[in-house]
Amino acid sequence: MADFGGSDLEALRSEARAWIEANFPAELKGRPNPMMREERSTPSAAQEAWRKAMGDKGWGVPTWPAQYGGGGLSASEGRVIQQELGRAGAYNPIGGMGVMMFGPTLLEYGTEAQKQEHIPKIVKGEVQWCQGFSEPGAGSDLAALSTKCEDKGDHFQINGQKIWTSGAQFADWCFCLVRTDTSKKHEGISFVLFTMHQPGVEVRPIPLIAGNSPFCETFFTDARAEKKDLVGPLNGGWTIAKRLLQHERGGLSGGGGGFGGGRGLVELAKHYVGVDDQGRIADPDLRTRITALEIEGRSFQQTAVRAMLESKGNSGPSAATSIMKNAGTQWMQARHEITLEIMGHQGLGWEGEDFTAEELGAVRGWLGGKAFTIYGGSQEVQSNIISKRILGLPDLTQHT
Amino acid sequence: MAVLNEEQSMLRDAAKSWTQEKSPVTAFRKMRDSGVEVGFDAAAWTEMAEMGWAGVIIPEEFGGSDFGYLSMGLILEELGRTLTASPLLASGLGAASALVLGGTSAQKSEWLPKIAEGTAIGALAVDEGAHHAPEKVALAATKSGAGYSLSGTKTFVLEGLAANVLIVSARTSGKPGDKDGITLFVVPADAKGISRKRLALADSRGGANITFDKVEVGADAVLGEADKGYPVLEKVLDRARAGISAEMLGAAVQAFETTLDYLKVRVQFGQVIGSFQALQHRAAKMFTDLELARSAVEAALTAIDNDSPDVPELVSLAKAKMGDVFHVVSNEMVQMHGGIGMTDAHDAGFYLKRARACEAAYGSQSYHRDRYARIQGY
């Protein structure tokens, strides 16, 4: 790549370093991103100032086009910004579904007016989005969705129910798949946008086995969407939805990160199980299984690196990317399972002072991790996709 | 597939077209049926050597091209696809690595040019029992005049019957299991006192047991330092392990692709069996595992080329992962082909047998998981 490692990058690095130093409030250093927490309290003045600074600069989404407020940088320049934020102990205050999924999709499929209206607010972190996709009767078979959308002349009227709507209780707007033609399956789906702040929208958080409520049920009773907020053609929403899901799955594989946090399995095992006179984990069966899992995880990381190098090289898109969601999520779940096994009775704590934060976190992580192989396309749907698109096997499920 | 430079791309393309045209699986079948004792086709080996493949990791001053281990891996991967039997791994990678890493200049001058041009075949005589255990050396090298006298037996020496020169690990002090006290020797395979016995193996390759009965060698036969051979041996073995992992990768990928082709043509219940989800998801899982294994194998070969300090752990990672995946894929190859897959007329059995032989060579998955854990300090 022409700009890779060049002197321009170093100039940008100095600029970013100076800018972060001038704008990042010292009191937030090393603090977690408040957006990552489920119980969102009112942001502090410092948090607000940091969001505003990053939003105005466009560096929360460094590679998005500058004409909509984004950073306008190349991928390698974007990485410099990321590295410098990490170096300063600063979180990126611009995130959520708008950044991960909706923004990239709208940039591809939206009209100029739609981009002008919605992208800058995502860039500045002013509007949070939620995803109205799954329904009680349309999970893995997403195209079976039935939330009805009727043309009322000057607007659309929406009736129905969505489920597993992540963060709906904090969302300002929804990008939603709706049925606009009941005579066809995939070709009767449209992609519309509407505000969550209206009387026809009701949100109920769903308590999960992990004790938290990251997902909601969302009910629409004569909810209203404006005509200008239809993305793509009427009944042409499925193509856009598939593209959006690619953005979602790319973000869910854990390919970029997800390996940090807490001690490694080996350290945990040495602590909870002990070592023999040669320094090996005392339980040989557990040691073997930990090793196999370590090898699996490392080969996954190696694949993430390889996919990145291949996509930069001249060999075209890497086939390796198609496997990342299943490989990554299954590995993470297995890791959670063995973590509890290593902790034994200490890995059963629900709350209270008898357990360390690490132990309590392990239990919640184990349960919360059950979502990994279900959301964003279950592992079975991912296997269908590999079978059909990569391996060229016949498709019985259609349009996965 | 790793990002390749120009010479690597050319090498891979040459290996691909040669194996597809000159050495398809039918050639392996013909070799097996011919009962040729050395376990490979000499004419095919001559062609391979003429293309320079035996010298890929050998420095130019000794007649090689010094293209490195990833390059060698690309060739071995293509050979693995068609199960091409040849001494490339044992000689051009194993014995050549020993000489390059530890040989005296006299040893290098004597053997490397011949190995590079394929006129001499080298082999690693390392193991002595049913399992790979390079420190469990009992074969004794006792001082004899100015040199040594070697007595003992080496087992499962790959290409041991065809070899002209053997790299032999011998005990000069201590007891079997000690890493200290192992010395490596360069011994001509026709030396007096050496007797070789061909092993008839399930995978039809050229393995042999080799007995040393008071084999007299000079002090100049020592490769590296007396009593301190183990660290060199480990480096040599890691290169052989990475190389055979590349061959395993090619074989496993081909086993998978052949099976995938069959899923698209075999009709039962009025439809191709590849339309059944029970088979599709197993195919998707195999594809996933093959991608992970490819990353591990290429990372190990690249680490060797970069002389990276984490070569041992990356090699054990690759051999362990690749060994598991090759078993799954070769077993599924038989299962998904159904009855035809059990017949000798079909190729599936060749891949199944080769997977077992590759597992045993230079350490099984179990050996390498244990080694990986030890290197990581647990």
Side-chain angles (χ1 to χ4, degrees), chain A residues 277-316:
Chain A
D277 55 7
Q278 290 187 52
R280 296 176 300 194
I281 294 166
D283 178 339
D285 174 65
L286 185 64
R287 173 177 179 266
T288 301
R289 288 185 290 121
I290 288 173
T291 309
L293 202 55
E294 293 284 288
I295 286 176
E296 189 73 5
R298 198 139 170 215
S299 67
F300 176 77
Q301 285 174 298
Q302 289 171 330
T303 304
V305 171
R306 179 165 70 86
M308 188 191 73
L309 291 174
E310 285 174 5
S311 65
K312 273 202 258 174
N314 50 10
S315 40

Side-chain angles (χ1 to χ4, degrees), chain A residues 266 270 278-281 287-288 290-292 294-296 298-300 302-304 306 309-310 313-315 318-320 322-324 326-327 330 379-384 386-387 390-397, chain B residues 1-4 256 260 263-264 271-272 274-277 279-281 283-285 287-300 310 313-314 316-317 320-321 368-374 376-378:
Chain A
V266 171
K270 284 183 170 178
Q278 290 187 52
R280 296 176 300 194
I281 294 166
R287 173 177 179 266
T288 301
I290 288 173
T291 309
E294 293 284 288
I295 286 176
E296 189 73 5
R298 198 139 170 215
S299 67
F300 176 77
Q302 289 171 330
T303 304
R306 179 165 70 86
L309 291 174
E310 285 174 5
N314 50 10
S315 40
S318 164
S322 67
I323 65 144
M324 297 307 275
N326 272 1
Q330 287 169 15
Q379 68 182 20
E380 289 74 19
V381 166
Q382 291 304 116
S383 292
N384 288 346
I386 295 171
S387 299
I390 309 289
L391 305 181
L393 292 170
D395 179 22
L396 288 186
T397 55
Chain B
M1 173 63 59
V3 178
L4 305 180
F256 175 71
L260 190 60
L263 296 183
K264 293 174 184 173
Q271 52 197 319
V272 295
S275 64
F276 300 135
Q277 211 172 34
L279 300 185
Q280 288 183 343
H281 286 195
K285 173 73 174 141
F287 177 76
T288 300
D289 280 334
L290 284 167
E291 286 294 315
L292 296 179
R294 172 178 296 284
S295 310
V297 171
E298 291 178 354
D310 54 5
E313 66 191 80
L314 291 179
S316 279
L317 189 166
K321 178 72 189 165
H368 284 291
R369 276 192 285 267
D370 178 69
R371 181 170 181 257
Y372 182 87
R374 284 174 190 271
Q376 300 280 328
Y378 62 99

